[in-house]
């Protein structure tokens, strides 16, 4: 934990991602002032030129795609006292895991055609990994993109030396608190019952089903969720397909 | 008792909205469901609703509420917070009125909860007898299809007018101030009684035994296989808790602002079906498996709270049944099955 009264040194790092999550940090707007008041940001490519390798807390965005990423990530882990995975790409592999259903050769071929990439470490890719597949992660800030309020909560908790509260209940909880009419009752489909809350059920509240961007809760009842999706009219195949976008990595574990 | 003509009723509601200092909320349509929300005009009011998505509990125990604010800057300061918007709520079915009474009993117990009680005290509750009944409701079996208490005014649609029962001085004053009313004659009374007597017959769902047998039935069925069998499909989504008008559990959290100076202590709805509900600081979870959490809700509603407060903490609104996606939360189905097990 951090020493009280000493501003923790914070660094941001990005791997394979759209950098949307770091953008959310920049978008904290006036609160950014508060952020830099309580922590010392020593490295943040999205927002500043300076860089330092001396930090306490590392926020890591993006998925791990190559041996060289693994090397870099392990280095970050070694230097950081606390490592926080930032966003779906980092936490669960996210959108990037979509390509795991194809072979690496196939993916390269589709994207780069016949270009010669032999021996080039930049193109030496493996199946997408989440940050936690490579190193120990202390805390997760889920979502695609992350929710700014939740990030602020995590940063404040860390600065106060507390354990951040990351919900382990499904999106339905926040959805019910909002008094929403369930998407299933409106003819739609929703992964809310198995997806980790924390976003304020933003998708159902705005009329579309949850796509699972925050990943699954610790013990999701995916069998029951599949049955519900089927009961409301999806074929099993399409019900399983619901897990493609963000939760592809879990699909192997979903039985039936 | 009073009679208020339907067109005078519209005027009454509009006067409340425009003239009364309190905020007027009532039942409105949302898609093909109903919700409680602030009324902009009497036209929005839908007293023919079957059930609302959330009960009026949300006004007295908000989904998230600030209990206190603190300041950590120089000398530590704490201020208690009790944000009260006095309300006039129009259109509360008897089962929800009884649920509010139960909540009041709970929040008065041991340490009276000012945040709940003050909101209740400052509000006017206008009930309405059921015109339509949700297919999941079994209020008649719970003795909550009608009520003689718990309201300031109670409206019953008797055709061209509403039959109004007076439940309190505040209710009577409200009528005097804003409504044109008359005294009921014999024909009004007859029509009123016919409506009231017809309500019980509208319920599709029923317990197969008198509700006061419930505590004894549950005492014998703690180890039934039913709990694990049903809970296999439980999503641990807590929907059955969160929509329930008599669920009162909450979690308390301190939310400090990013500047680390100010913050607030909030309370927010919790539910015993959620995985971490009974998890304590050491990491121990007293109800780790779905089945024990699933069982707990039924035990609490039908037995534990009965032991403590003397009432069955289920008013038969059916919201849990309609909110449960795998269809396992229906108390009628569970309790009727258990009754058969102990016959
Ligand atoms: S989680 Fe989403 S928003 Fe964040 S970096 Fe990945 S793709 Fe972008
Ligand atoms: S809309 Fe989705 S998140 Fe909301 S209650 Fe229904 S299933 Fe749960
Ligand atoms: S509702 Fe689902 S998809 Fe939408 S932000 Fe929340 S977790 Fe992500
Ligand atoms: S609503 Fe149904 S699935 Fe959800 S926690 Fe309750 S019993 Fe389980
Ligand atoms: S347990 Fe279900 S039926 Fe009973 S009061 Fe709660 S939501 Fe209504």
């Amino acid at each position: 934990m951090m020493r009280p009264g000493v501003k923790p040194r914070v660094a941001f790092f990005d791997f394979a991602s759209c950098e949307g999550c770091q953008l959310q940090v920049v978008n904290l707007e006036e609160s950014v002032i508060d952020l830099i008041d309580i922590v010392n940001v020593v490295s943040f490519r999205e927002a500043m030129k300076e860089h330092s390798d001396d930090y306490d807390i590392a926020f890591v965005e993006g998925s791990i795609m190559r041996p060289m990423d693994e090397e870099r990530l392990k280095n970050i882990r070694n230097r950081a006292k606390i490592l926080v995975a930032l966003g779906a790409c980092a936490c669960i592999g996210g959108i990037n895991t979509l390509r795991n259903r194809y072979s690496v050769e196939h993916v390269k071929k589709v994207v780069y055609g016949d270009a010669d990439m032999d021996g080039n470490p930049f193109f030496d890719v493996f199946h997408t990994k989440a940050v936690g597949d490579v190193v120990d992660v202390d805390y997760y800030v889920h979502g695609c993109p992350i929710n700014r309020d939740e990030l602020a909560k995590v940063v404040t908790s860390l600065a106060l030396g507390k354990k951040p509260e990351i919900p382990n209940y499904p999106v339905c909880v926040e959805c019910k608190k909002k008094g929403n009419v369930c998407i299933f009752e409106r003819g739609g489909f929703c992964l809310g019952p198995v997806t980790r809350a924390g976003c304020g059920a933003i998708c159902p509240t705005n009329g579309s089903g949850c796509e699972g961007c925050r990943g699954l809760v610790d013990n999701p009842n995916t069998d029951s969720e599949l049955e519900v999706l089927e009961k409301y009219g999806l074929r099993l195949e399409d019900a399983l397909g619901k897990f493609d976008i963000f939760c592809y990595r879990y699909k192997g574990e979903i039985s039936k | 008792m009073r009679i208020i003509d339907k067109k005078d009723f519209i005027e009454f509601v509009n006067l409340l909205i425009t003239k009364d200092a309190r905020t007027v909320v009532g039942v409105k349509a949302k898609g093909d469901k109903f919700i409680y929300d602030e009324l902009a005009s009497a036209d929005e009011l839908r007293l023919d609703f079957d059930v609302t998505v959330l009960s009026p509990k949300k006004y007295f125990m908000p989904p998230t509420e600030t209990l206190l604010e603190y300041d950590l800057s120089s000398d530590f300061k704490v201020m208690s917070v009790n944000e009260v918007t006095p309300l006039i709520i129009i259109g509360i079915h008897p089962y929800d009125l009884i649920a509010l009474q139960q909540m009041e009993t709970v929040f008065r117990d041991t340490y009276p909860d000012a945040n709940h009680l003050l909101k209740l005290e400052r509000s006017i509750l206008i009930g309405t007898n059921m015109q339509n009944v949700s297919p999941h409701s079994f209020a008649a079996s719970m003795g909550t299809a009608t009520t003689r208490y718990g309201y300031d005014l109670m409206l019953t649609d008797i055709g061209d007018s509403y039959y109004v029962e007076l439940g309190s001085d505040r209710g009577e004053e409200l009528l005097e101030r804003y409504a044109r009313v008359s005294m009921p004659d014999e024909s009004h009374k007859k029509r009123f009684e016919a409506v009231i007597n017809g309500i019980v017959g509208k319920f599709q769902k029923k317990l197969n035994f008198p509700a006061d047998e419930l505590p004894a039935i549950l005492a014998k069925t703690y180890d039934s296989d039913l709990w694990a069998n049903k809970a296999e499909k439980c999503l641990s989504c807590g929907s059955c808790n969160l929509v329930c008008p008599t669920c009162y559990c909450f979690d308390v959290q301190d939310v400090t602002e990013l500047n680390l100076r100010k913050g607030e202590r909030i309370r927010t709805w919790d539910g015993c079906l959620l995985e971490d509900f009974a998890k304590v600081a050491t990491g121990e979870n007293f109800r780790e498996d779905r089945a024990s959490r699933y069982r707990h809700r039924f035990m609490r509603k039908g037995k534990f709270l009965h032991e403590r407060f003397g009432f069955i903490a289920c008013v038969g609104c059916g919201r849990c049944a309609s909110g449960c996606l795998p269809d396992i939360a229906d108390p009628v189905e569970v309790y009727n099955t258990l009754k058969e097990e102990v016959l």
Side-chain angles (χ1 to χ4, degrees), chain A residues 83-248:
Chain A
L83 188 145
V84 185
L86 203 61
C89 297
C91 295
I92 55 171
I95 294 270
N96 297 319
T97 52
L98 268 175
R99 76 163 166 69
N100 288 6
R101 69 176 96 184
Y102 308 108
S103 73
V104 164
E105 291 67 40
H106 175 79
V107 172
K108 280 205 221 172
K109 179 104 181 147
V110 170
V111 180
Y112 300 108
D114 293 326
D116 180 17
M117 291 170 286
D118 268 4
N120 185 333
F122 289 103
F123 297 96
D124 181 14
V125 296
F126 45 57
H127 268 172
T128 307
K129 294 181 186 177
V131 169
D133 296 334
V134 180
V135 296
D136 288 339
V137 174
D138 297 298
Y139 302 111
Y140 292 89
V141 182
H142 292 276
C144 177
I146 56 161
N147 172 318
R148 276 174 291 184
D149 295 337
E150 195 178 35
L151 176 77
K153 244 182 164 171
V154 169
V155 174
T156 7
S157 298
L158 292 178
L160 289 168
K162 294 202 309 189
K163 185 169 164 255
E165 294 250 0
I166 315 284
N168 178 34
Y169 47 78
V171 175
C172 293
V173 171
E174 295 175 332
C175 193
K176 291 292 181 219
K177 286 183 191 175
K178 291 241 159 98
N180 292 335
V181 177
C182 182
I183 292 288
F184 282 103
E185 295 189 276
R186 291 190 262 167
F189 302 95
C190 185
L191 291 186
V194 286
T195 301
R196 188 183 299 278
C199 58
I202 184 165
C203 299
T205 304
N206 288 294
S208 48
C210 169
E211 304 279 7
C213 85
R214 295 177 53 87
L216 303 182
V217 290
D218 287 353
N219 290 303
N221 194 340
T222 45
D223 283 352
S224 180
E225 170 72 9
L226 286 176
E227 256 180 58
V228 168
L229 290 167
E230 281 186 87
K231 187 175 77 185
Y232 280 86
L234 281 190
R235 290 175 310 156
L236 178 59
E237 198 186 323
D238 297 329
L240 275 164
K242 281 260 145 211
F243 292 86
D244 275 350
I245 308 180
F246 292 104
C247 298
Y248 184 78

Side-chain angles (χ1 to χ4, degrees), chain A residues 17-21 61 87-89 143-145:
Chain A
S17 64
C18 76
E19 297 190 12
C21 289
E61 179 199 48
C89 297
C144 177

Side-chain angles (χ1 to χ4, degrees), chain A residues 31 34 38 152 156 159-160 168 170 173 176-177 179-181 184-185 193 219 221 224-225 227-228 231-232, chain B residues 33 53-54 63 232-237 239 242-243 256-260 268-269 274-276 290 325 327:
Chain A
S31 326
D34 291 329
I38 62 164
T156 7
L160 289 168
N168 178 34
V173 171
K176 291 292 181 219
K177 286 183 191 175
N180 292 335
V181 177
F184 282 103
E185 295 189 276
N219 290 303
N221 194 340
S224 180
E225 170 72 9
E227 256 180 58
V228 168
K231 187 175 77 185
Y232 280 86
Chain B
K33 306 279 172 199
V53 175
L54 293 177
E232 211 179 299
K233 291 191 181 176
C234 179
L235 294 156
S236 302
C237 69
S239 293
L242 295 157
V243 298
T256 307
E257 285 175 22
L258 200 46
N259 59 28
L260 297 192
T268 182
W269 291 356
L274 301 175
E275 188 183 347
D276 292 349
R290 286 183 214 284
L325 291 165
D327 278 332

Side-chain angles (χ1 to χ4, degrees), chain B residues 13 22 27 50 72 78 80 82 93 106 108 125 157 165 183 196 223 299 302 310 342:
Chain B
V13 174
R22 288 160 289 207
V27 179
D50 54 356
L72 306 165
V78 192
S80 77
N82 190 356
H93 279 164
V106 169
R108 263 193 210 292
L125 308 180
D157 189 323
E165 291 165 273
M183 299 306 281
I196 294 294
D223 294 316
M299 286 286 164
V342 299

Side-chain angles (χ1 to χ4, degrees), chain B residues 193-238:
Chain B
E193 270 155 33
V195 171
I196 294 294
N197 294 333
I199 291 174
V200 166
K202 292 184 178 178
F203 289 83
Q204 296 167 30
K205 289 257 173 181
K206 289 182 185 70
L207 285 186
N208 295 334
F209 56 92
D212 52 18
E213 286 181 20
L214 254 181
I217 294 173
L218 287 167
K220 290 188 202 144
T221 48
Y222 189 83
D223 294 316
S224 166
D225 293 335
L226 173 138
W227 309 117
N229 291 341
K230 288 258 184 195
E232 211 179 299
K233 291 191 181 176
C234 179
L235 294 156
S236 302
C237 69

